[in-house]
Amino acid sequence: MTYLPNDIEFMPSKKMIFARLGVRYKNVDQYFNKKVNDIYVEGMKYSKPKVWWKIFDRVPESIMPEEFSGVKKIVVFVSTLGKHIDVRIDKYMKNNEILNGTILDAWASEALEALNESFDIRLRHMFGEGTRRFSPGYGNVDIRENKTVIRLMKIESIKVFESGVMIPRKTTTCMIGWW
């Protein structure tokens, strides 16, 4: 199944963007605040968020978190902001507009987290409490298992390198289990 979120579902907190940039919100001057606001609007324009999700009774052992022992149902989801945000970040960097590129990269990372959190809440409304949300790269599941997840989900538009890095870069794989 695929889900196309509304804008509000991937709008990150400005406070979190500043934190990711290593800036204290209370110390932000008017110039920098305006720059972040402008980049925020740009990020919304260049993002094409999408979530693929499926319910499984079992998943391959290599992607099964230890914490999921005994779960009866696992939802695997893959979220992305799409390729256009990567292209825009790369354009800033190639044009030596490092500040804009860095702010947009921070915005996109927080937007993806906001998307994952809102989809997580949506799933818990449907299925109840469940386990914590889990992604390869944490606990016993190697980040290179992103390849297994993308193959399991049969998503052709996401490329996964041997390292586990995915293209588009602002893409994550997540799982939640239910007993």
Side-chain angles (χ1 to χ4, degrees):
M1 292 178 264
T2 57
Y3 177 72
L4 301 176
N6 296 316
D7 288 354
I8 192 95
E9 294 175 278
F10 68 97
M11 293 176 72
S13 153
K14 275 183 58 181
K15 188 174 182 178
M16 294 307 293
I17 296 167
F18 286 126
R20 188 172 285 269
L21 291 167
V23 176
R24 287 183 172 236
Y25 190 67
K26 66 180 183 181
N27 297 335
V28 174
D29 65 26
Q30 196 172 6
Y31 167 78
F32 193 67
N33 192 44
K34 181 180 182 330
K35 183 164 274 301
V36 170
N37 285 343
D38 291 345
I39 296 287
Y40 197 113
V41 171
E42 192 175 344
M44 295 298 294
K45 177 182 169 188
Y46 283 93
S47 294
K48 304 293 178 224
K50 187 175 188 178
V51 179
W52 295 266
W53 67 288
K54 283 186 183 175
I55 304 169
F56 295 93
D57 295 332
R58 299 184 56 85
V59 294
E61 191 76 26
S62 65
I63 65 168
M64 182 72 155
E66 289 174 349
E67 294 89 345
F68 284 29
S69 178
V71 297
K72 304 273 188 261
K73 174 173 45 179
I74 299 170
V75 170
V76 176
F77 70 92
V78 177
S79 58
T80 187
L81 296 182
K83 65 182 179 185
H84 299 295
I85 196 81
D86 286 357
V87 170
R88 188 66 181 156
I89 292 167
D90 290 346
K91 184 176 179 184
Y92 274 134
M93 295 306 190
K94 285 176 185 161
N95 289 338
N96 210 24
E97 297 177 74
I98 305 303
L99 180 58
N100 288 349
T102 302
I103 293 170
L104 187 57
D105 187 74
W107 179 90
S109 294
E110 289 301 322
L112 189 58
E113 182 54 31
L115 174 59
N116 288 340
E117 184 62 26
S118 66
F119 195 72
D120 180 310
I121 290 168
R122 175 177 287 276
L123 289 173
R124 291 176 197 285
H125 281 299
M126 288 192 287
F127 303 118
E129 184 67 25
T131 65
R132 69 182 176 100
R133 188 174 68 232
F134 192 91
S135 292
Y138 295 95
N140 65 308
V141 181
D142 194 295
I143 194 168
R144 293 174 291 188
E145 293 299 331
N146 278 331
K147 191 169 218 132
T148 304
V149 174
I150 296 300
R151 196 175 311 127
L152 178 70
M153 298 292 286
K154 299 177 181 168
I155 301 171
E156 295 178 5
S157 59
I158 307 290
K159 180 178 181 178
V160 185
F161 293 101
E162 289 304 317
S163 65
V165 171
M166 295 182 281
I167 301 292
R169 290 189 309 264
K170 300 305 178 186
T171 300
T172 54
T173 62
C174 304
M175 297 177 274
I176 302 174
W178 281 270
W179 288 279

